[in-house]
């Protein structure tokens, strides 16, 4: 039942992001308006936790949602992986529906403006990340991931998908630089469950100068490259 899944997602967003998401611009709004905006922003941040493998603190700092956001709700640049994440988030109270074609078109136009470094069309939140975005745009190995996240269960309609397909064809005409990451209620709830249960971690450990002890328990010892340990942390940080 989708409403139960939605309850789990909402509780997780409240727990992880209530103290991290800036809501000062909603101080004079109604409680309901503030709550809806918080959930949409927290959901945008959570999508980065899932797709970019960042901490909630980093994800929350990536939120740019506000007036004149040009359809983009969060921006994160992974400088190590050369990936620029652009997020649009829609919170559906009923747990049904998808993202409307008008919202997708606004997002696509915002992505185009960003790729053209036209920062005059964005709010101060986006403009504050200008140097980071320009660094991404100037990097010939950079790739772009467009994350469209919502709490509905339906996929995008063909009318909503069309502007995304047009953008893909436009940007990827010479090489595959841009990809679309749809994230619906199913993926969100799966991530919430995984977080609650704790993902099992499997590692391949390369030991040098190793040995074995049989008493009091069977065990192995040796040396591990510091770079390997750093990679474990990047992939499995909690």
């Amino acid at each position: 039942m989708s409403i139960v899944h939605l309850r789990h997602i909402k509780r997780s967003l409240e727990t992880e992001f209530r103290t991290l998401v800036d809501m000062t611009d909603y101080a004079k709004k109604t409680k309901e308006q503030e709550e809806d905006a918080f959930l949409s922003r927290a959901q945008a941040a959570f999508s980065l936790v899932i797709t970019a493998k960042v901490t909630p603190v980093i994800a929350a700092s990536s939120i740019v949602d506000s007036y004149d956001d040009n359809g983009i709700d969060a921006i994160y640049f992974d400088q190590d992986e050369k990936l620029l994440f652009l997020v649009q988030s829609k919170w559906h109270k009923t747990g049904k529906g998808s993202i409307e074609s008008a919202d997708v078109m606004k997002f696509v136009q915002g992505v185009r403006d960003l790729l053209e470094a036209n920062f005059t069309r964005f709010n101060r939140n986006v403009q504050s990340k200008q140097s980071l975005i320009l660094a991404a745009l100037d990097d010939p190995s950079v790739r772009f991931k467009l994350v469209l996240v919502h709490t509905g269960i339906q996929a995008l309609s063909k009318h909503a998908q069309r502007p995304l397909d047009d953008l893909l064809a436009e940007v990827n005409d010479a090489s595959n630089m841009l990809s679309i990451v749809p994230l619906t209620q199913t993926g969100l709830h799966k991530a919430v469950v995984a977080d609650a249960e704790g993902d099992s971690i499997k590692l391949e450990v390369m030991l040098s100068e190793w040995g074995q002890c049989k008493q009091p328990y069977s065990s192995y010892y040796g040396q591990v490259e510091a770079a390997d340990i750093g990679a474990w942390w990047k992939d499995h940080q909690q």
Side-chain angles (χ1 to χ4, degrees), residues 77-145:
F77 181 37
D78 186 332
Q79 299 182 58
D80 294 330
E81 298 296 328
K82 309 295 185 183
L83 286 171
L84 182 65
F85 292 83
L86 305 175
V87 181
Q88 183 178 66
S89 172
K90 296 297 176 184
W91 176 264
H92 301 301
K93 294 180 181 179
T94 62
K96 300 182 185 299
S98 183
I99 300 181
E100 298 295 330
S101 58
D103 291 320
V104 174
M105 290 176 67
K106 182 179 180 181
F107 178 58
V108 167
Q109 183 57 54
V111 172
R112 283 198 174 97
D113 288 335
L114 204 68
L115 296 180
E116 294 172 3
N118 190 354
F119 292 99
T120 61
R121 297 190 176 185
F122 291 94
N123 61 28
R124 287 181 296 176
N125 295 337
V126 177
Q127 290 174 2
S128 69
K129 298 181 181 295
Q130 181 171 334
S131 60
L132 195 67
I133 295 167
L134 288 176
L137 295 177
D138 289 339
D139 192 327
S141 60
V142 75
R143 290 168 293 145
F144 305 92
K145 285 190 178 293

Side-chain angles (χ1 to χ4, degrees), residues 58 60 65 88 98 104 113 118 135 140 147 156 171 197 214 237:
I58 293 175
D65 172 60
Q88 183 178 66
S98 183
V104 174
D113 288 335
N118 190 354
V147 182
L156 293 176
V171 176
E197 294 179 346
K214 294 186 177 295
Q237 58 183 300

Side-chain angles (χ1 to χ4, degrees), residues 6-80:
L6 193 66
R7 182 183 181 89
H8 297 161
I9 296 168
K10 182 178 179 180
R11 180 65 179 271
S12 180
L13 296 180
E14 290 276 359
T15 301
E16 293 286 352
F17 296 102
R18 177 56 74 179
T19 61
L20 299 177
V21 175
D22 182 7
M23 297 301 300
T24 54
D25 57 327
Y26 271 77
K28 296 183 179 180
K29 303 287 187 179
T30 66
K31 192 66 178 177
E32 183 178 4
Q33 288 174 321
E34 181 184 11
E35 183 68 6
D36 287 346
F38 163 75
L39 290 170
S40 182
R41 290 177 182 181
Q43 180 178 252
F46 188 41
S47 75
L48 287 174
V49 172
I50 297 170
T51 59
K53 308 298 182 185
V54 296
T55 65
V57 172
I58 293 175
S61 70
S62 302
I63 296 170
V64 296
D65 172 60
S66 190
Y67 184 74
D68 274 347
D69 59 30
N70 213 352
I72 299 176
D73 297 319
I75 300 173
Y76 173 71
F77 181 37
D78 186 332
Q79 299 182 58
D80 294 330

Side-chain angles (χ1 to χ4, degrees), residues 1-8 93-95 185:
M1 183 177 180
S2 62
I3 200 66
V4 177
H5 293 103
L6 193 66
R7 182 183 181 89
H8 297 161
K93 294 180 181 179
T94 62
Q185 183 187 123

